[in-house]
Structure formats: C-alpha cells, structure tokens
C-alpha cells in the first residue's frame, strides 16, 4: 500500500515516523510532500521519497493524507483535486476544525466524491501510542473504513466516531496529551520541592503514570475504585487527594477540556 503524506510538520511528521516504526511498509511505499527542505532531507535520509510537489505525492498513492494547518486545507485539496483518482484512492484530512461539508464543496467532481476521512491522532503516534479518532466523512464504504482503521490501529488505538464528537475527541486526546504532560511537569516540580533532583522526579512521575495506566487497562477498574485501593482511612493519600480537590483539581481538568472543545 502506497501512502502519501502532504504536510510533514509536527503531526504529519509524527505520523510518518509511526508508519516507519510499524515495520509494515517499505520506506519506498511512503512519499512525503513538504515545502521545507530540512523536512524533506530528514525523510529522504530514511529512504522515503520526499518532494515539494503535492501533486507528485498524491499521484498513484492508495491513501493520500493531508496534514496541514486548517486554513491551508482548501488550497492544498484544490491543488491536488485534478490528479486524484476518486475510484481508487482514499483521502484523509488531518486538521482540526475542518468540516466535511466544506470538503465536499471543494472536492466535488460533477457529483462524484473521493472516499474521505477526518482523522485526529496525537503526537504519540510517532511511538505507536496514539489515541486516534476516525470519522468516515464522505462516500466512505465499509471496506474503506476497515482499511483506514487497520492502518491507524498499527500506531496505537483508534475509535470510529462521528463528526459531531470530533472536537471533543480532539481536546480529550490530541490536546489531552499536552494536559497530561502539564501534570508531569507539575508533579515533577513538586518532587523537586520534596527533595528529589529534577531528572529523578520526572522519571518517578512518568513511571508512576505508566503504572497507573497499566493497572487500569489490566484490571478494568474504574479509576475511583483503583484509588480506593491506596487510600487508607486517615492516610497520606486521601489527605493529598482532598487538598488537590480543595484547589479545584477535577473541576480545572473538566473546565480545561470543555474550553478546548469550544
């Protein structure tokens, strides 16, 4: 399967890195289009075809991914429209806030539409740990959806959703990875106040978060039930949790997520 990535910045580049790490594709099957010479040189050094031409990248690819800033999507799509084969190719748009109705208006060819998916991964896709949201947006049939989901499942986990929930998915997982990192930073700074060196504190916090995730995944417990396992009456854990709640921990997280979804 030949995959084209038009736009290889932070997210597009991370996705290409993930594709490489899956080991499922020959590097010759991946083509990157980007205006940055440094970006192209980076991927060319890995044996990937890199070009400044979006049209060259799109021609002949089985899956064409467009991963550019939202305000550039229209320009990029219209620029490759004439070289796309609507009967053989799949279009993926990775750009927050771009609507399927707009894509329809840009890409319509005498009433014909290319199968199109709106997709939001997060940057952990570079390490095969993304939480990816997939919306079968336009003219996508079951076999197209299966193909696209299988592709992204190789780079983490994916969920099929509808366009209405894509903004919520974006803030929960794509923005959410930054929120998780902010907790790592805050807890690491707290660790320094408790007497650990900065690097040691960060490592402690990261391993603790990893352990919490593994525990929840393995046990299937609700987070609150898992919390109950380590909160003894009058103990230090419940005192710390209550102090965080007094400062608005849960409320702040929820308010941040809702703000990001607006």
């Amino acid at each position: 399967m030949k995959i084209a990535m038009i736009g290889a910045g932070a997210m597009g580049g991370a996705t290409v890195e993930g594709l490489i790490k899956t080991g499922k594709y020959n590097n010759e099957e991946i083509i990157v289009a980007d205006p940055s010479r440094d970006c192209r040189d980076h991927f060319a050094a890995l044996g990937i075809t890199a070009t400044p031409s979006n049209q060259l990248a799109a021609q002949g690819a089985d899956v064409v991914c467009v991963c550019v800033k939202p305000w550039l999507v229209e320009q990029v799509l219209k620029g490759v429209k004439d070289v796309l084969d609507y009967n053989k190719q799949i279009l993926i748009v990775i750009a927050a806030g771009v609507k399927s109705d707009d894509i329809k208006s840009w890409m319509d060819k005498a009433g014909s539409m290319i199968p199109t998916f709106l997709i939001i991964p997060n940057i952990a896709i570079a390490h095969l740990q993304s939480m990816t949201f997939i919306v079968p947006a336009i003219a996508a049939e079951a076999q197209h959806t299966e193909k696209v989901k299988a592709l992204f499942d190789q780079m983490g986990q994916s969920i099929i959703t509808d366009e209405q929930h894509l903004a919520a998915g974006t803030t929960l997982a794509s923005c959410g990875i930054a929120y998780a990192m902010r907790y790592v930073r805050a807890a690491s700074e707290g660790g320094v106040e408790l007497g650990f060196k900065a690097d040691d504190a960060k490592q402690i916090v990261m391993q603790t978060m990893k352990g919490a995730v593994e525990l929840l995944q393995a046990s299937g417990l609700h987070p609150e039930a898992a919390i109950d396992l380590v909160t003894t009456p009058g103990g230090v854990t419940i005192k710390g949790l209550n102090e965080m709640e007094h400062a608005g921990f849960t409320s702040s997280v929820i308010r941040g997520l809702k703000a990001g979804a607006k």
Side-chain angles (χ1 to χ4, degrees):
M1 180 167 62
K2 187 174 181 181
I3 302 168
M5 179 61 71
I6 298 176
M11 186 62 75
T15 303
V16 175
E17 298 281 358
L19 289 168
I20 295 168
K21 287 181 182 176
T22 66
K24 302 290 186 181
Y25 309 95
N26 295 323
N27 286 8
E28 294 80 10
E29 294 180 292
I30 304 171
I31 183 168
V32 167
D34 197 275
S36 166
R37 177 173 290 277
D38 287 344
C39 174
R40 298 197 305 270
D41 288 347
H42 168 73
F43 287 111
L46 300 175
I48 289 173
T49 301
T51 175
S53 171
N54 294 342
Q55 288 194 343
L56 181 62
Q59 284 178 317
D62 298 294
V63 177
V64 178
C65 301
V66 172
C67 187
V68 297
K69 299 298 184 185
W71 55 87
L72 294 175
V73 172
E74 179 180 3
Q75 174 188 332
V76 170
L77 289 180
K78 288 182 175 178
V80 299
K81 179 178 178 179
D82 289 342
V83 302
L84 293 177
D85 187 334
Y86 283 23
N87 295 316
K88 295 182 179 179
Q89 294 176 290
I90 293 173
L91 175 64
I92 288 173
V93 176
I94 303 173
V98 177
K99 305 299 184 185
S100 62
D101 285 344
D102 291 328
I103 296 174
K104 285 180 184 178
S105 68
W106 302 331
M107 301 300 287
D108 179 79
K109 283 185 181 180
S112 178
M113 280 301 305
I114 186 170
T116 303
F117 290 80
L118 302 178
I119 292 185
I120 298 292
N122 64 38
I123 57 173
I125 199 167
H127 303 283
L128 311 184
Q129 293 296 329
S130 178
M131 181 66 246
T132 300
F133 295 86
I134 300 172
V135 176
I138 306 168
E141 299 180 2
Q143 67 267 27
H144 301 134
T145 302
E146 290 172 6
K147 186 175 184 178
V148 169
K149 190 174 191 306
L151 174 66
F152 283 90
D153 278 345
Q154 296 170 19
M155 297 181 285
Q157 296 183 25
S158 69
I159 183 171
I160 305 294
T161 187
D162 54 40
E163 192 167 352
Q164 180 181 351
H165 289 88
L166 197 56
T170 299
T171 192
L172 195 58
S174 188
C175 302
I177 199 167
Y179 304 154
M181 289 175 182
R182 180 57 61 88
Y183 172 79
V184 171
R185 190 192 78 175
S188 298
E189 290 176 353
V192 173
E193 281 208 33
L194 294 172
F196 290 102
K197 292 182 179 179
D199 286 345
D200 290 340
K202 184 181 75 171
Q203 188 62 35
I204 291 166
V205 174
M206 289 192 301
Q207 180 58 35
T208 302
M209 287 189 69
K210 183 178 180 180
V213 170
E214 293 285 349
L215 189 153
L216 290 174
Q217 289 180 332
S219 67
L221 287 170
H222 186 282
E224 201 62 36
I227 288 171
D228 287 344
L229 296 177
V230 292
T231 49
T232 55
V236 295
T237 303
I238 192 62
K239 290 178 181 178
L241 287 169
N242 284 341
E243 190 62 31
M244 290 180 186
E245 291 302 327
H246 288 320
F249 180 81
T250 298
S251 176
S252 294
V253 171
I254 294 170
R255 289 178 65 183
L257 291 169
K258 291 173 72 175
K262 290 180 180 178

